[in-house]
Every structure is written in structure tokens, then in C-alpha cells.
Amino acid sequence: MLAVTVAAAVWASATGDIGVRSPLPGAVPLALALLSGWAVGMVRTRRWPLFLAAAVGWLVLAAAAAGVVASYQAGLRLRGRRLAGFLAGAAVVLAGGVLVGLAVGGVRRMTTAASGNVLMLAVCLVGLPLVFGLWVRARQETLAALRDRAERLEREQEARADRVRAEERTRIAREMHDVVAHRVSLMVVHAGALEVTAADPTTVEAAALIRTTGRQALTDLREVLGVLRQAGPGMAPERGLDGLDELIGESRAAGLRVSRRDEGVPTALPATLGRTAYRVVQEALTNVRKHAADAEVTVCLRYLSDGLEVLVRNGPAEGGTTLPGAGQGLLGLRERVELLGGRLEARPVDGGFLVRVLIPTAGAA
């Protein structure tokens, strides 16, 4: 649009609509108008055609449109010696315009050769557009510097945050190793001793289960500590649906009466969905062991066309204890499920408790 505007302005100047009417044949102003428009359109890749068109247009037709754009582009793009060269060239062109005006006479002389008009033309054609171009360039450079500074500060802040997180992870890993791992190791040792010395078969079986569970806990703890000691971000190793049978088997070995039921056609599910479903069942069985260890539990996986539904329901405890509401574990699960676009329901049902989770496949993909 700027190129078309400049070409139209040069033609209008040559015809006398906004300037001095040119006595030259119409082909000459038309060619100069087209040349000026083309030069403006090429200014992003080549500047010299615009400067040439501005000089020729002023000397031949006293057309100022290309000269205004050229002065703005000089302030925007030129620096140092090139800018000084442009100013010197502009002075030569203005002086040449004065000589042409004196030679042609008439309106052209009054417009381009009168001392007052020459000064005004120098300000309007060169000075103001050049200053505006310099201001725009300075503003762009300032914004670029501020943007670079903001990005640098953001990178430094992220680096500090990563360093603090790494130090905190290392501290947590050290404390977990010093406290938790030590006590679990003692538990495994005592359970092994009890397994060897006990005469009651039930006690021996319970001690063996405690020892096996303790060793598995130590293995899991070492994996978690390894993740915590990593310098970069990591994710604690978690099991998916393939570990669900083992989880239910461990709960049965601990004394729970657990049954599993699958409904629908099993399909390949995203790993994130599988890990979340495993954690739902694990947390629900843990709560049953804490609050209703003698209740019957049903774990149901329902494969849907667009997701997976997990239900863990336990009946009333034979001891008659009332089940409490959801605790911190279920709150954490709710946040985890909602991150995948699912929903979690946990409520008392017929003297027991129901945990129901629906996770869409799209949210976990």
C-alpha cells in the first residue's frame, strides 16, 4: 500500500495536482512513478533503488513522496558513515533542485529555489522523516534490550530455582535415607530374626510377609531416592495396570479379602492413565487396610470407549466401625485425576465405602 501511495503521489505531483506540473511527456512521469513505487516495495532488501528514485524524482519532477520515505528509511536503517553519506547526498540533491529551479523558472523556481522554501523543504523532506526514523529505531533497540534483559533475568531466575530445588531434593533424600531407610532396615532384620526363632507357623508366615514387604519397601525407597538425587526434573517410577494383580496379591497376603472384576474390552491405554488407575486402587486398598481390614473389597475396572472407570468398593466392617471420610491421600488422588480431565467420587455406601474414578483417554494422551 505504501508503494502504491508513493507511486500515485509522484504521478499527482507531475500532473500538478499536489505539486509543480511537469512539461515532460507523460511517459517520463509515469516511468518515474512506477520506479518510485517499485523502489519503496523493495526497500526491505535493497535501499539504493529508493534513494536513487528519490533523487531523480526530485530533480526531474520536484516530487517529494519518495524523498520522504527515503529519509525515514535512512534514519531507521543507516548508521555512522552511511547516515552521514545520505545527509551529504540529500544536501547535493537539494542544491541540484535549486539549480534546476533557477534554470526552469516559473513556479518551479518559486517552489524549489526560493530561500525560504528551500529551508522548509529541507526540514520536511529530510529533517522530520529522518528524526522520526531515528526515534523509531531507538525505540526498537530499547524494546529489544529490555526484552533481552527480561529473558536473561528469567533464565537466571529459573537457574536459581532449579538449583534450590536440587538442593532441597538432595536434603530430602538424605533425610529419608538417614531416617526411613534405617528404620525399615531394622524392621526387616527383626522380622527375619522372628521368622527364624518363632515356633508358631502363623507367626513365621507373618514375619516372612513383613520381611518381604520391608525389602520391597527398601527397593522402592532406593528408586525414589535416586529420583530425588537427580539434578534434572524426574518422575518417581510408578507401576501401571500391569502391576495391579501383584498389588491385589500383596493385599490378600496382608489379610484383605479382595476380588477383581474387569468389564468391557481391554484396550491399550496411555501410560499416564494406567499409573493413575494403579495409584487409585493402591490408595483405596490402603484405606481399607487402615479402617476396615475385615471387610470384603471389590476392585472393578470398566473399559469404556473413551476412557477407563475404576471402582473400589468395600462392604461394612464386621467390627462395626464407621468408616471416616476421605483423607489427604484421596485429596491428592483427586488433584491427580482432575489434571487428566477426570473426576473422582469417594463416599460411604451401605455401611461401606466407594471410590469411583472416571478418566478420559483424551485427557491422559
Side-chain angles (χ1 to χ4, degrees):
M1 291 185 63
L2 180 61
V4 172
T5 302
V6 169
V10 172
W11 174 257
S13 178
T15 57
D17 293 336
I18 57 173
V20 181
R21 183 179 180 85
S22 174
L24 298 175
V28 175
L30 179 61
L32 289 177
L34 294 177
L35 173 64
S36 300
W38 172 80
V40 171
M42 296 291 294
V43 71
R44 291 185 179 274
T45 56
R46 299 176 181 177
R47 291 187 296 269
W48 67 267
L50 177 60
F51 297 153
L52 178 62
V56 174
W58 179 251
L59 293 176
V60 176
L61 303 176
V68 172
V69 178
S71 298
Y72 170 77
Q73 291 294 329
L76 184 65
R77 301 175 183 273
L78 300 183
R79 292 174 175 81
R81 293 182 179 180
R82 292 186 178 182
L83 183 59
F86 171 81
L87 292 175
V92 171
V93 171
L94 288 175
V98 172
L99 296 179
V100 172
L102 292 176
V104 173
V107 179
R108 177 70 182 269
R109 176 174 182 173
M110 187 188 328
T111 303
T112 62
S115 57
N117 287 344
V118 170
L119 180 60
M120 183 181 66
L121 290 172
V123 173
C124 296
L125 267 68
V126 180
L128 293 179
L130 181 69
V131 171
F132 185 66
L134 291 172
W135 176 80
V136 171
R137 186 182 71 187
R139 186 173 180 273
Q140 292 177 348
E141 292 175 348
T142 302
L143 291 177
L146 292 175
R147 186 162 48 249
D148 292 341
R149 180 182 178 185
E151 292 176 354
R152 185 173 63 255
L153 291 176
E154 184 177 358
R155 288 193 299 268
E156 293 176 355
Q157 184 177 3
E158 290 178 355
R160 285 195 299 269
D162 291 340
R163 186 167 59 252
V164 171
R165 281 195 295 266
E167 293 174 355
E168 184 65 15
R169 287 155 69 106
T170 302
R171 185 186 66 81
I172 294 174
R174 185 169 56 250
E175 291 184 0
M176 289 179 65
H177 179 270
D178 293 342
V179 178
V180 180
H182 174 68
R183 295 187 181 277
V184 174
S185 299
L186 289 177
M187 181 184 69
V188 172
V189 171
H190 287 298
L194 181 60
E195 182 183 4
V196 173
T197 59
D200 184 10
T202 304
T203 304
V204 172
E205 184 179 354
L209 178 60
I210 294 173
R211 179 174 56 81
T212 303
T213 305
R215 287 181 176 177
Q216 183 62 41
L218 285 175
T219 301
D220 295 342
L221 183 59
R222 279 194 295 269
E223 292 177 351
V224 173
L225 294 181
V227 172
L228 286 175
R229 289 193 176 100
Q230 289 178 359
M235 179 179 290
E238 295 186 60
R239 299 178 183 177
L241 293 178
D242 54 349
L244 203 56
D245 288 333
E246 183 180 352
L247 175 64
I248 293 176
E250 293 174 354
S251 298
R252 288 171 179 165
L256 284 182
R257 292 177 290 171
V258 186
S259 61
R260 174 179 174 178
R261 184 176 74 253
D262 291 0
E263 299 178 2
V265 180
T267 57
L269 298 173
T272 306
L273 192 152
R275 289 194 295 266
T276 302
Y278 180 90
R279 284 286 296 116
V280 169
V281 176
Q282 184 184 46
E283 180 64 27
L285 293 179
T286 299
N287 288 339
V288 173
R289 285 199 299 269
K290 289 180 179 178
H291 308 299
D294 54 353
E296 293 186 0
V297 186
T298 301
V299 177
C300 177
L301 297 183
R302 187 171 297 159
Y303 294 89
L304 307 175
S305 59
D306 57 350
L308 177 70
E309 186 178 19
V310 181
L311 298 98
V312 181
R313 179 173 181 175
N314 63 274
E318 295 180 1
T321 57
T322 303
L323 292 177
Q328 294 298 320
L330 287 179
L331 289 177
L333 280 184
R334 186 183 302 277
E335 296 176 355
R336 185 168 184 160
V337 170
E338 290 177 351
L339 284 176
L340 300 182
R343 60 180 184 271
L344 182 144
E345 177 186 359
R347 57 186 175 86
V349 174
D350 298 332
F353 204 80
L354 170 68
V355 176
R356 177 177 177 269
V357 170
L358 180 61
I359 309 174
T361 307

